[in-house]
Amino acid sequence: MKDVYLITASFVGEIKRDFRGYVKMAAKAGYAGLELFNCIYGGFGPQELKNYLASYGMTAISAHVNVEDTDSQLSYLAEAGCRYVVCPMLRVESRDDAYRKAELLNALGQKAKAAGLRYAYHNHDNDFDVYDGKTVIDIFLENTDPKLVTFELDAAWAWRAGVDAADFVNRHAGRFDLIHVKETSRVLGPEDDMHALFAGAKRGPDGRFILTPEMEAKFKERQKINCKLGDGIINMPELKKAADAQGVKAYIVEREYAYTGDNYTTILADREYLSALE
């Protein structure tokens, strides 16, 4: 695998704390570039950001942008050199809602195309919820225009929903330009309900939950599901084979948890693992 990218959502909060240090860490670990997240650009203008990343031999291939922020970000991202703007997730409450959201994706795809970008949708485990015999993600795949909307398959969220990511790519060949790579040690169960974990927790000034020591311990234990690449339930060589065969454009690492105990050595190991895959 030649070029591997890193989403700046990895190690949540770190990109806000030290943008320049984060970029330097990713470059040192050998990443080809970044997938930006949550409109965090380090205070750089678009051309400044492009030049700053280029000084480290990197590019910004894409950006996760919430639906409500899309219009305001398209010109910035295009000028910064991004190729994709990605919807990080959508909440779907019913079958009809899924069809409405598919139309929303088409509309956003049209706007992105007009700005010189490609629009993509990134899945979570809830996108494999079933309504009247169809999953949400299947409704999206079947009801979006391939000329306007591509998909970024998150392998871990697929597997956490009990779906083999390689098989899923094979069933929908041609629809995935991007693959989010992270490992998972198991399929999710009722004990993994984050809403239950954070019930009653208040948010601080930064919008993040203020956790009790008990909540913090449970959350840290839950994060360990994001284990070392190759040690979990995902068959990464098979996923790469399926993705390469259908023309995937980029592999992007997302790291929720530093299993080595250190951010740098964790993302370095991820990049080295992927670079070694044939």
Side-chain angles (χ1 to χ4, degrees):
M1 188 180 295
K2 184 180 179 183
D3 292 337
V4 182
Y5 297 82
L6 179 72
I7 185 171
T8 59
S10 298
F11 313 119
V12 175
E14 287 300 300
I15 192 69
K16 275 185 164 181
R17 185 183 65 81
D18 183 9
F19 188 94
R20 292 171 185 262
Y22 198 108
V23 170
K24 185 176 181 180
M25 177 181 71
K28 183 181 177 183
Y31 284 85
L34 302 175
E35 179 172 65
L36 304 169
F37 172 76
N38 204 26
C39 306
I40 301 170
Y41 310 132
F44 290 105
Q47 190 61 49
E48 290 175 324
L49 177 61
K50 184 177 181 179
N51 293 342
Y52 181 68
L53 294 178
S55 73
Y56 284 98
M58 296 197 299
T59 60
I61 189 173
S62 53
H64 275 210
V65 178
N66 292 331
V67 166
E68 62 272 19
D69 297 321
T70 304
D71 287 349
S72 67
Q73 299 302 306
L74 292 177
S75 61
Y76 181 101
L77 296 174
E79 190 177 342
C82 287
R83 293 161 55 192
Y84 298 88
V85 57
V86 184
C87 176
M89 69 175 298
L90 287 171
R91 297 196 181 279
V92 172
E93 306 296 336
S94 67
R95 180 178 180 274
D96 289 344
D97 190 27
Y99 282 98
R100 287 193 295 269
K101 295 292 172 55
E103 284 307 305
L104 173 62
L105 293 175
N106 281 324
L108 293 168
Q110 186 66 63
K111 290 181 178 182
K113 183 178 181 181
L117 296 160
R118 187 100 164 93
Y119 199 73
Y121 182 75
H122 168 276
N123 67 278
H124 284 78
D125 58 326
N126 60 294
D127 289 297
F128 295 94
D129 290 348
V130 178
Y131 293 103
D132 297 333
K134 282 187 178 292
T135 64
V136 171
I137 193 73
D138 278 337
I139 292 172
F140 288 174
L141 284 158
E142 293 169 8
N143 293 276
T144 51
D145 184 344
K147 295 178 181 178
L148 299 177
V149 180
T150 187
F151 287 78
E152 179 178 66
L153 181 71
D154 189 298
W157 283 119
W159 271 99
R160 288 171 187 175
V163 175
D164 184 306
D167 286 348
F168 193 71
V169 168
N170 283 327
R171 291 202 306 272
H172 299 284
R175 294 309 305 274
F176 302 99
D177 274 17
L178 308 172
I179 301 291
H180 248 207
V181 178
K182 62 176 179 251
E183 186 61 274
T184 187
S185 61
R186 55 185 170 78
V187 175
L188 295 180
E191 69 278 7
D192 298 296
D193 184 355
M194 289 290 99
H195 295 292
L197 173 62
F198 294 132
K202 295 181 180 179
R203 292 184 183 271
D206 61 356
R208 300 179 70 181
F209 284 110
I210 301 172
L211 304 181
T212 65
E214 182 182 9
M215 288 178 176
E216 185 74 29
K218 287 182 179 179
F219 180 68
K220 286 183 177 179
E221 187 61 32
R222 165 63 170 72
Q223 289 295 77
K224 292 179 182 178
I225 192 174
N226 189 221
C227 60
K228 180 181 179 181
L229 288 178
D231 282 4
I233 61 176
I234 301 175
N235 187 327
M236 289 293 179
E238 281 301 307
L239 175 58
K240 182 180 183 297
K241 180 180 177 182
D244 285 351
Q246 64 93 64
V248 71
K249 302 299 190 294
Y251 292 86
I252 301 167
V253 167
E254 181 174 8
R255 176 53 66 177
E256 297 171 348
Y257 166 75
Y259 68 88
T260 66
D262 171 73
N263 291 353
Y264 171 71
T265 55
T266 297
I267 64 166
L268 174 63
D270 287 343
R271 202 273 306 153
E272 289 178 336
Y273 174 90
L274 292 172
S275 294
L277 288 182
E278 297 295 334

